[in-house]
Amino acid sequence: MRTRTAVVAALAAALVLTTAAPAPAAPGVPSRAAELLGRQTLAANDGWAAAGTGTTGGSAAAPDRVRVVRTRAELVAALGGDNATNAADAAPKIVYVDGTVDGFEGPDGTPLDCADLADPEYSLPSYLAAYDPATWGRVNPSGPLEAARVRSVANQTRQTQINVGSNTTIIGLRGARLTGLTLMIDRVDNVIVRNIEFADARDCFPAWSPTDGDTGNWNSQYDQISVRRSEHVWIDHNTFTDGDNPDSAQPVYFGRPWQVHDGSLDVTHTASLVTASWNRFAGRDKVMLIGSSNTVGPDVGRLNVTVRHNLFDGTLQRLPRVRFGQVDVHENHYRLGGPGFAYALGVGVQSALYTENNFFTLTGDTTAADLLYDWGGTALTERGSWVRQGDRLPRPVDLRAAYNAAHDPDLGGDAGWTPTLRAARPLPTPLVPLAVDAFAGAGRLPL
């Protein structure tokens, strides 16, 4: 077993800035460290995003494509100038976020709210009156009010969905925060996002789905980061929260919570080659969905993701939930339990989850048997898990055996593959909380 000194040395080495010689600093970049971090690339073998050509983001950016942004308008301009076409801008670029950038900010800086984005024919009271299941029944909404809601969603998408092109690095300076927006990484290649707090990517116009579950559910559209039809994406040292707008504060309509938040980091629609490292997910419900449909088709052979050294703190589900992909989940710390907790690892259709050296700190009556959920999968490889339950001493636990003892059908023990893309040998599981709690999340990089 490594000594603590060796562990600290290994962690420090993991943060060494191994980059090519940087171009001249851009005006407004406050430090040499920020410039170096902006040009840092993903290390060789560091998870699925290191496959093939690797992930370099905007490290080759010319000086005129290195910008510091403080507003939504400046963010859009730095990413290419027109949010409608920015996804097609493949020029290398580095965007430093300074302070808080709010997606609900008009072009002139005026704060917006949901009423500003609503279609003139939409109102929530009218919507609730029209589609109350007691009178409308368990049929999907249709007609003028639903059409007005859909137009309202389109208005919000244009405003709060920020499109990112290929060969881009977005990195936060100290205290950087993106609130009320979605970073959309769709149909692109080679993107890095680091050192940013993401807060409250709220949906103003959730959809009522009367056949979702036994009694229906409200469903929201906007993730904090959405990776679709893209490759070579590195999401590192970010923090994901609901800010001052938690799900617990939302009202109840039709007997179901008004759900204004979707995922933190979703990888869907044939995306692949993603590494999520050293992030902190705090107090969120739906966290990480890998694969959005059970339909066997283009997702087969895709959705390959590495999830390592992340802190899942008071989160409720999808940590991650996986379909189809070969997903390597190692050396994460999970602090879970309490009201609303559902599960940690979702074993979905044709999923190939490989989990190693993860540490679970559990509260309340949550047990090891509650940490897996079968969403139509058949097997996972699980090794090196440890659990600390309440005040008890931590101990190694076979999560699959605990699940199988309490549920039917059993999950098999072989996901059918063994990860090879790892930059270092895994830490011993008892040391994972020490490392992850110290280094995960925004504000931990030396900026």
Side-chain angles (χ1 to χ4, degrees), residues 214-419:
D214 294 336
T215 58
N217 275 303
W218 294 98
N219 288 302
S220 57
Q221 175 165 314
Y222 301 104
D223 303 322
Q224 293 173 307
I225 299 179
S226 182
V227 183
R228 304 179 179 183
R229 293 169 284 245
S230 298
E231 290 188 340
H232 298 111
V233 178
W234 181 28
I235 308 297
D236 177 70
H237 277 99
N238 302 290
T239 296
F240 298 84
T241 78
D242 288 336
D244 59 0
N245 187 34
D247 287 336
S248 59
Q250 304 306 320
V252 173
Y253 299 125
F254 303 160
R256 301 298 299 156
W258 177 245
Q259 179 59 261
V260 300
H261 298 120
D262 200 14
S264 290
L265 171 57
D266 284 6
V267 181
T268 61
H269 297 81
T270 74
S272 201
L273 308 183
V274 177
T275 296
S277 58
W278 300 108
N279 300 292
R280 179 174 179 260
F281 302 91
R284 301 217 69 245
D285 180 359
K286 301 172 183 177
V287 174
M288 190 182 303
L289 180 67
I290 300 175
S292 56
S293 168
N294 288 343
T295 302
V296 177
D299 281 333
V300 175
R302 308 286 297 172
L303 301 171
N304 296 331
V305 180
T306 296
V307 181
R308 67 164 185 88
H309 298 105
N310 300 284
L311 174 59
F312 297 93
D313 190 2
T315 48
L316 303 185
Q317 60 178 313
R318 301 183 181 178
L319 315 176
R321 175 181 173 178
V322 180
R323 297 175 171 100
F324 300 109
Q326 293 182 342
V327 177
D328 186 14
V329 179
H330 65 94
E331 300 168 86
N332 300 283
H333 185 199
Y334 294 82
R335 294 203 293 239
L336 307 174
F341 174 71
Y343 66 92
L345 301 167
V347 185
V349 173
Q350 294 189 24
S351 62
L353 261 169
Y354 192 106
T355 76
E356 184 172 8
N357 289 22
N358 296 294
F359 193 102
F360 298 84
T361 300
L362 306 181
T363 61
D365 58 0
T366 301
T367 70
D370 302 318
L371 297 176
L372 304 181
Y373 194 93
D374 184 359
W375 287 105
T378 59
L380 79 160
T381 301
E382 181 258 329
R383 53 188 296 183
S385 301
W386 280 58
V387 170
R388 179 195 294 123
Q389 191 160 8
D391 295 331
R392 302 175 190 173
L393 291 174
R395 61 189 178 91
V397 173
D398 184 331
L399 299 186
R400 188 180 64 87
Y403 174 87
N404 286 345
H407 302 87
D408 288 316
D410 285 357
L411 290 170
D414 184 2
W417 74 294
T418 300

Side-chain angles (χ1 to χ4, degrees), residues 423-443:
R425 292 177 57 189
L427 287 171
T429 312
L431 297 179
V432 166
L434 172 70
V436 170
D437 292 7
F439 289 99

Side-chain angles (χ1 to χ4, degrees), residues 127-187:
Y127 192 89
L128 295 175
Y131 302 117
D132 188 333
T135 54
W136 180 261
R138 296 196 67 190
V139 179
N140 286 331
S142 62
L145 271 171
E146 172 62 10
R149 188 196 68 82
V150 171
R151 292 194 298 271
S152 301
V153 170
N155 293 341
Q156 178 171 355
T157 298
R158 286 190 292 270
Q159 174 65 37
T160 67
Q161 179 177 293
I162 305 300
N163 299 313
V164 179
S166 297
N167 306 314
T168 299
T169 293
I170 303 175
I171 183 166
L173 301 177
R174 188 163 297 278
R177 191 168 188 257
L178 296 180
T179 184
L181 59 77
T182 296
L183 282 188
M184 178 57 70
I185 301 169
D186 189 5
R187 294 184 175 91

